[in-house]
Amino acid sequence: NNLASLAEMTAFCQKATGNTIPIRNVSETRPADVPLYCTDNAKIKNTMGWEPRFSLDTIVEDTFRWMESHQRILKPILS
């Protein structure tokens, strides 16, 4: 499945980091809101036969672990 809502992506991030942030529902949609995270690997699958091997939650966890282990080099970029 290549779809995840913002709430699902937030849950993946909370699980990976151990941090929680308060999330409230807002009825109005703002221009910058991203209601759904969607990827489409159909073209590369059809062309090269490639498919992702990892789930979105695994990718988020791996990315967080990588960022944690590379804090020193990332700090100047992210500060």
Side-chain angles (χ1 to χ4, degrees):
N1 184 353
N2 295 333
L3 299 174
S5 69
L6 185 55
E8 289 170 312
M9 290 300 289
T10 300
F12 294 152
C13 291
Q14 289 177 347
K15 179 182 170 198
T17 65
N19 296 323
T20 57
I21 57 172
I23 303 209
R24 61 185 174 87
N25 289 329
V26 177
S27 59
E28 74 273 3
T29 301
R30 298 168 296 185
D33 286 349
V34 179
L36 191 66
Y37 172 80
C38 179
T39 60
D40 182 0
N41 61 295
K43 187 172 183 177
I44 196 164
K45 180 180 178 183
N46 293 335
T47 304
M48 308 287 289
W50 181 88
E51 291 184 271
R53 295 182 295 167
F54 304 103
S55 64
L56 283 173
D57 60 330
T58 299
I59 292 168
V60 169
E61 288 177 16
D62 288 352
T63 302
F64 177 71
R65 279 196 301 272
W66 183 88
M67 290 177 75
E68 269 194 323
S69 65
H70 293 85
Q71 285 183 38
R72 186 179 56 79
I73 62 171
L74 291 172
K75 188 172 184 172
I77 299 167
L78 300 176
S79 296

